[in-house]
Amino acid sequence: MRALTMYEIPGDPVVAELPDPSPAAGELLVRVASSSVNGYDAAVAGGLIPHPDPELPFVLGKDFAGTVDAVGERVGRFSVGEAVFGVVTGAFPGTGALAEYVTVAEEFGVSRIPAGVTPTDAGALGLAGTAALDAISAIAPAPGDVVLISGATGGVGAFALQYALAAGADVIATARPGPPTEFVQGLSGDRARIVDHAGDLLAQVRAIAPEGVSAALHFAGNGMELAELVTAGGRMASTLGFGPEQAAGRGFGVTAVTASPDIATLNRLAADVASGAIRVPITRTYSLADATEALADFNRGAVGKLAVALP
Ligand SMILES: NC(=O)c1ccc[n+]([C@@H]2O[C@H](COP(=O)([O-])OP(=O)(O)OC[C@H]3O[C@@H](n4cnc5c(N)ncnc54)[C@H](OP(=O)(O)O)[C@@H]3O)[C@@H](O)[C@H]2O)c1
């Protein structure tokens, strides 16, 4: 199979020919129809996630959508031919999903794609959608809340933006001028107030919310700076490791989110896409042959989700 492969870590991934994986007991072999780029892929390739002895060659890719091609022994929940999506779990799994085939454990991180969800959307939903939903659950936005989303232009932020607005909160979202701002305006139906994180963030947010914000979502930027804007009794969630210790003494709670793509979360995400409640914010779709370009574009700061679709 062809796969976006690392022969050394850190290093430059290449699309290479590798043996097809085969499912172990409890695993599904998925023929991948679509995947997407996540910060995790960039971090692994850049050597930012330490591992004493990574299994090489290593295939990148956390998100997947496709069809069950074979099942290992003792697989009971899924059958060959079913359309599935999810997240490859484990820090350094044997195979990744930016490939023609991936093996995944059936018990966690995989669910069925419901009617009304395209494989391309499903393949860009898992990790960023889960991180967004877990962060949203942590701050539980409601009408009357003012939620600051730092990193609203990224994949996680674009999902969280939609969920915060759907919960009835007022949203202040970071975006640079031009296409990133237009992206947030489009996704929010012009309901989000936009601040430029390249400028004076504190001053811009205080001009909108002089008392501060009741909740902040930290998907990019400086957590300490965001924490200064959260009112006492507020909430904050971070996918960047900013946690309770860093915000100690500030009078509000912080949750350091580790995305947990359990089946209920995946089902909720897929149902919300199927119903039109949220949109998968794909801004560009690449072929697997161009997956190195997708990763390079992600590293340059792309807006929304970058999908990688396979024929
Ligand atoms: N803990 C977990 O389980 C988990 C799960 C998923 C993701 N993550 C992490 O969460 C982060 C967000 O993920 P993602 O997939 O959304 O990444 P992404 O697509 O790279 O999004 C980050 C966005 O933030 C913007 N940005 C950069 N610097 C900023 C700043 N100072 N203030 C505000 N916005 C800024 C970037 O745009 P510009 O630079 O172009 O302005 C980009 O659009 C990543 O670091 C990822 O690794 C963690």
Side-chain angles (χ1 to χ4, degrees), residues 28-29 67-71 75 78-83:
L28 315 176
L29 176 68
T67 308
V68 179
D69 199 68
V71 296
V75 164
F78 295 95
S79 311
V80 169
E82 284 189 297

Side-chain angles (χ1 to χ4, degrees), residues 38-40 127-128 131 150-151 153-157 174 176 197 219-222 239-240 257-259 298 300-305:
N38 285 287
Y40 190 87
L127 183 56
S150 180
T153 42
V156 179
T174 59
R176 286 178 293 120
H197 56 270
F219 305 135
N222 181 342
T239 56
L240 299 174
V257 170
T258 300
F298 183 90
R300 278 192 284 269
V303 166
K305 288 295 299 176

Side-chain angles (χ1 to χ4, degrees), residues 6 8-13 39-52 54 58 60 92 295 299:
M6 305 288 306
E8 56 180 352
I9 296 175
D12 293 322
Y40 190 87
D41 305 312
V44 168
L48 301 178
I49 299 181
H51 189 289
F58 176 84
L60 295 172
F92 276 78
L295 192 64
N299 283 330

Side-chain angles (χ1 to χ4, degrees), residues 53-70:
D53 187 20
E55 192 179 327
L56 296 171
F58 176 84
V59 178
L60 295 172
K62 298 295 273 183
D63 287 337
F64 66 90
T67 308
V68 179
D69 199 68

